Amino acid sequence: MQIARDLQLDGLRALAVSLVLYGHFFAADGSYWGHIGVRLFFVLSGFLITRLLLEARADSAFEPAVALKSFYVRRALRIFPPYFAVLGFVWMTGLESSKDVLGWHALYLSNFWYALQNEWTPWVLCHTWSLSIEEQFYIVWPLAVLLAPRRSVAAICLGVIAFSLVYRFYWPLTGTPSLARDLLPPASMDALAVGALLATRRSSEGWSRWVERSWVPLMAISLILLWFRPTAKPPLLEWLAWMGLEIFPLLPLALLVGSCSRGTGGNFGRFLECGPMVSVGRISYGIYLYHAIVLALVVKAQPLIPVNVSEQGPGRLMVAGAGTLILASISWIAFEQPLNALKRHFPYVRRGSVKGENPACPRAQGERNEALQTWEVR
């Protein structure tokens, strides 16, 4: 039976959310590190969701309607309660006058709101743009994976990636860069589709030689572009640098996810599997969701805090980071985990539907469903 959780992928979630916290709490200009963390989340989400759906589709008891219903219900149980709890808290406290735009966030249109305004206002909810992207992905992608011919899924992934590249080539025609360039769905669908494409590969397949050889130079180019990112550049070079920082890290991130999904060895693999990393990875959704709220409250409480939390730096990272971990842990134990237990009522394949199986004793089918349900993402 498939193990309950893939520990190294939990470790990658912890790594991704740590990059977000580093960018928002510590680094003077760390927005890109946070963005890399979000891109890693996208690759992970595309991979895990697609692998889960393909496993459900391969089951002998697969029924598209049952699988689709279960997917959407299980996603709602995992994502909606803490998300709408945050929106309710913001509405009651009126943080940054956010209640005036809560309708956009409630409909998972945060990315469109910030793109239309072309500014990060209100900041306290600006991180929800990526959650909106993922929710928009969750609405459409199961239909493609479960209803399209199985052999077409990889081609669909390649088509989405190509469309995202075309979208990037469009932006030099628009003049000054805007938030829409980064926040509209095509700007992130390449990362989600790269992860999905990875899931269409058989686990026994090795990486192509050119892939194995290219990730190091691509990562090196990304770091060089990152180094020169704050430097003022002409519009064309600015666009090329932005495009490079969006595209070049994708292959290294995909290799990282693919390697960890099979179990990478060495010190890095042991690091990802260690208890603290796995624990942080399991509550990474709560960490990401709550961290901006905690930061806003911590900054308001600056007169009561002996270290500087009003600016990026170690004080903010220590206080806001600890507060975020505590809140996310409480949320997971008292709120999210009990709700997740309800997902057992919504298996991806119907119990007792396999020919010759006794519906009154669905142990074998239950184990198969458990295997299909182990790869839930944030």
Side-chain angles (χ1 to χ4, degrees):
M1 187 178 67
Q2 182 74 29
I3 61 173
R5 294 186 70 88
D6 191 323
L7 300 182
Q8 290 192 4
L9 293 183
D10 273 331
L12 282 186
R13 290 192 185 102
L15 180 62
V17 81
S18 297
L19 287 171
V20 172
L21 295 186
Y22 172 79
H24 288 173
F25 290 170
F26 185 85
D29 183 21
S31 59
Y32 184 70
W33 292 108
H35 189 63
I36 281 290
V38 171
R39 297 282 278 177
L40 177 54
F41 268 131
F42 284 156
V43 175
L44 274 165
S45 293
F47 172 71
L48 291 166
I49 284 296
T50 305
R51 186 170 73 169
L52 184 151
L53 293 172
L54 289 176
E55 288 289 336
R57 182 171 180 163
D59 194 279
S60 59
F62 169 69
E63 299 176 53
V66 171
L68 282 171
K69 175 187 174 182
S70 295
F71 175 84
Y72 291 128
V73 172
R74 292 168 67 89
R75 286 291 81 210
L77 285 170
R78 178 68 188 102
I79 294 173
F80 288 176
Y83 180 79
F84 285 101
V86 165
L87 295 189
F89 177 80
V90 169
W91 179 79
M92 288 188 296
T93 58
L95 283 176
E96 296 188 17
S97 302
S98 298
K99 63 172 61 178
D100 297 334
V101 298
L102 284 184
W104 290 82
H105 299 285
L107 294 173
Y108 282 94
L109 295 174
S110 305
N111 56 326
F112 284 96
W113 164 259
Y114 290 111
L116 289 170
Q117 301 304 307
N118 198 31
E119 60 180 347
W120 292 113
T121 303
W123 183 89
V124 74
L125 290 174
C126 69
H127 62 299
T128 61
W129 75 269
S130 67
L131 302 180
S132 295
I133 290 282
E134 290 205 4
E135 194 63 27
Q136 292 153 20
F137 174 74
Y138 293 151
I139 291 173
V140 176
W141 194 246
L143 300 174
V145 176
L146 296 178
L147 302 181
R150 172 63 179 83
R151 61 183 179 275
S152 301
V153 175
I156 294 172
C157 294
L158 291 172
V160 173
I161 295 169
F163 175 71
S164 186
L165 289 174
V166 171
Y167 171 84
R168 298 188 194 288
F169 278 102
Y170 157 77
W171 281 97
L173 306 176
T174 66
T176 304
S178 66
L179 287 182
R181 185 185 70 172
D182 298 297
L183 301 186
L184 295 183
S188 299
M189 289 302 166
D190 54 351
L192 289 158
V194 163
L197 182 62
L198 182 65
T200 65
R201 298 166 49 89
R202 296 186 182 275
S203 60
S204 60
E205 292 178 347
W207 297 107
S208 302
R209 188 175 299 274
W210 73 268
V211 172
E212 293 178 338
R213 290 179 175 178
S214 61
W215 78 268
V216 172
L218 286 175
M219 201 66 219
I221 294 172
S222 300
L223 292 174
I224 292 171
L225 290 173
L226 179 60
W227 180 269
F228 289 104
R229 182 170 171 266
T231 306
K233 294 176 283 292
L236 180 59
L237 288 180
E238 173 68 26
W239 167 72
L240 289 173
W242 165 75
M243 189 170 180
L245 283 171
E246 292 291 305
I247 296 172
F248 291 155
L250 277 181
L251 182 58
L253 292 178
L255 285 169
L256 182 61
V257 172
S259 298
C260 291
S261 70
R262 297 192 300 272
T264 188
N267 292 331
F268 183 65
R270 287 190 290 272
F271 169 69
L272 292 177
E273 293 175 8
C274 73
M277 291 294 288
V278 172
S279 297
V280 170
R282 287 178 177 170
I283 63 171
S284 59
Y285 174 53
I287 293 173
Y288 185 84
L289 184 59
Y290 301 135
H291 82 277
I293 304 294
V294 171
L295 177 58
L297 296 176
V298 164
V299 170
K300 284 181 175 292
Q302 175 65 87
L304 305 175
I305 300 174
V307 297
N308 182 11
V309 296
S310 298
E311 299 175 348
Q312 300 285 84
R316 173 177 284 189
L317 180 62
M318 179 179 65
V319 176
T324 301
L325 287 174
I326 292 170
L327 179 58
S329 298
I330 294 172
S331 174
W332 172 253
I333 295 170
F335 185 37
E336 298 170 61
Q337 201 169 29
L339 287 170
N340 283 343
L342 299 176
K343 292 189 291 188
R344 68 182 183 275
H345 299 298
F346 302 95
Y348 285 99
V349 292
R350 199 189 306 272
R351 293 186 177 93
S353 60
V354 179
K355 184 178 180 180
E357 183 176 300
N358 182 0
C361 301
R363 179 177 179 181
Q365 183 67 20
E367 291 182 352
R368 183 159 46 251
N369 283 325
E370 183 181 348
L372 295 176
Q373 295 161 12
T374 57
W375 299 315
E376 296 288 0
V377 298
R378 64 174 189 154

